[in-house]
Amino acid sequence: MWKRPLRSVQDTLVGIRGLEEIGCELLRFSVPDSESAELFGRIVSQTELPLVADIHFDHRLALRCLDFPVAKIRINPGNIGQADKVEELIRKASGKAVPLRIGVNAGSLPKALRQEKNVAEAMVKAAEEELSILERLNYHQVLFSLKASHVATTIEANLLFSEKYDYPLHIGVTEAGPLVQGTVKNTLALSRLLENGVGDTIRVSLSDSPENEIMAGRSILQSLGIRNFGVDLISCPTCGRTVFDVTAFLGKVHGYMERVSKNITVAIMGCPVNGPGEAKRADLGVTGSENQVIFFKKGKIIRREHADDAIEAFKEELEKF
Ligand code: SF4
């Protein structure tokens, strides 16, 4: 999710490129007014990354965004108002072959459903209300998201929906919290859903940067064995035996490794106890022993460096894969 108001086209394009480099494959923008819609149009025309326009209440904003090469419009027909406005929007989206994403959120259910005891069932009913509008207009290029801030509710709503419908699902826990708490909640929900074959696109919603949302999403998919985004990192958690400053070393190389798309395992270890064993099993291993850093490649020691030279040596060795 793009997290700032749309102001500068150039700054936004630079930001988009940065997110693309770390693995963003789909990016959503809030488009709350006509000024934002015009800026969005200029931005979406200058990037290859698929961009989604998130629009509420004003169908004219969605109509305007459909003039641009937008990948998807996130909208709820129910909050657009009169049927003729929804029809006008759907006719245009259909003509341009742009899909609509219907986003149901447990925190903003239609009034009639707010008192329902089972929130997950109420979310599915809300999705069905939106779907009935689209199906009446014979529009099927649609996908859904059913999100709650509660893990079990998110899982239940998506499982219920996927049992009844074949429409693609965008999944994730919404308003999941800060980095650690939000990543844990999303990991639990996404792993359960993805293991059940439910979910086509994901977002890890965090009260944190878009970069961390992407990194968390990547890590979840890679840990589940669904996608491979590059370096699989094994690192020493540090303890009283640590004789090499793993945290400082990681701090210096982590950003660099995130941009390496090589499918390899890297181990960064802190002592002569478990360090050499893990480092040997990795494609590239580093283990420290006081001022000396030992490098392993596929189990064999390939070089020893003073700690001061270890960062450069590490990058050199990574480049060779
Ligand atoms: S690798 Fe060594 S330093 Fe790191 S946690 Fe294990 S025993 Fe401690």
Side-chain angles (χ1 to χ4, degrees):
M1 185 85 196
W2 185 258
K3 302 207 170 192
R4 294 194 301 273
L6 285 172
R7 295 269 186 271
S8 152
V9 172
Q10 276 320 311
D11 286 356
T12 308
L13 287 169
V14 169
I16 290 173
R17 268 196 297 280
L19 297 177
E20 247 184 311
E21 274 178 24
I22 59 167
C24 178
E25 296 178 357
L26 187 65
L27 186 60
R28 180 158 54 110
F29 284 76
S30 298
V31 182
D33 50 38
S34 53
E35 192 190 339
S36 307
E38 296 309 315
L39 284 166
F40 178 78
R42 289 170 58 197
I43 292 162
V44 77
S45 307
Q46 294 180 66
T47 176
E48 295 292 307
L49 187 68
L51 303 189
V52 182
D54 189 313
I55 293 159
H56 289 275
F57 307 117
D58 189 345
H59 83 303
R60 290 167 303 179
L61 297 173
L63 290 173
R64 182 63 179 136
C65 286
L66 284 167
D67 290 331
F68 310 122
V70 60
K72 199 191 310 177
I73 304 272
R74 188 262 163 129
I75 204 158
N76 285 2
N79 74 25
I80 290 297
Q82 294 119 317
D84 58 335
K85 291 181 181 171
V86 178
E87 272 182 48
E88 189 185 0
L89 170 61
I90 286 174
R91 263 200 312 275
K92 188 160 181 178
S94 180
K96 302 255 179 183
V98 173
L100 299 182
R101 174 184 141 200
I102 309 303
V104 173
N105 192 314
S108 56
L109 286 171
K111 240 186 203 155
L113 294 170
R114 281 182 207 156
Q115 302 310 321
E116 295 241 345
K117 277 207 174 78
N118 187 314
V119 178
E121 285 175 8
M123 289 166 69
V124 174
K125 283 181 193 165
E128 286 171 332
E129 281 179 12
E130 304 288 352
L131 183 57
S132 68
I133 301 172
L134 298 169
E135 289 192 330
R136 230 179 10 250
L137 296 166
N138 203 22
Y139 187 75
H140 302 283
Q141 205 175 354
V142 58
L143 58 143
F144 285 82
S145 62
L146 296 96
K147 294 188 176 186
S149 55
H150 187 246
V151 173
T153 306
T154 302
I155 294 170
E156 189 185 349
N158 282 279
L159 290 176
L160 277 173
F161 185 88
S162 66
E163 276 166 19
K164 293 176 83 172
Y165 303 101
D166 277 337
Y167 288 105
L169 278 166
H170 171 74
I171 57 171
V173 176
T174 191
E175 296 132 14
L179 184 60
V180 173
Q181 183 184 331
T183 303
V184 169
K185 285 184 187 174
N186 272 285
T187 304
L188 290 169
L190 292 178
S191 52
R192 177 81 188 281
L193 290 170
L194 292 169
E195 278 166 3
N196 278 282
V198 174
D200 299 274
T201 55
I202 68 161
R203 178 191 169 197
V204 176
S205 303
L206 300 174
S207 306
D208 209 297
S209 64
E211 286 80 2
N212 278 339
E213 290 195 346
I214 293 159
M215 296 314 299
R218 269 176 54 154
S219 193
I220 292 168
L221 293 177
Q222 183 146 338
S223 301
L224 288 170
I226 293 171
R227 292 281 300 274
N228 201 313
F229 292 95
V231 175
D232 187 20
L233 181 63
I234 296 161
S235 68
C236 151
T238 75
C239 75
R241 280 198 197 90
T242 310
V243 286
F244 171 59
D245 194 346
V246 170
T247 312
F249 189 87
L250 262 177
K252 287 180 188 151
V253 297
H254 197 234
Y256 178 79
M257 276 194 292
E258 280 170 0
R259 286 172 169 73
V260 173
S261 55
K262 294 168 184 175
N263 181 12
I264 55 169
T265 305
V266 170
I268 298 175
M269 307 305 290
C271 78
V273 178
N274 292 331
E278 285 289 2
K280 271 185 185 174
R281 275 193 293 274
D283 294 303
L284 176 64
V286 170
T287 187
S289 180
E290 302 193 346
N291 274 337
Q292 195 183 51
V293 179
I294 305 162
F295 287 75
F296 297 82
K297 189 168 186 175
K298 298 191 185 291
K300 291 202 171 82
I301 293 178
I302 51 165
R303 65 198 273 185
R304 295 170 196 268
E305 296 288 344
H306 189 275
D308 294 344
D309 302 321
I311 302 289
E312 275 316 302
F314 178 80
K315 289 180 183 173
E316 269 173 39
E317 292 306 328
L318 205 53
E319 280 300 310
K320 291 181 190 166
F321 279 91

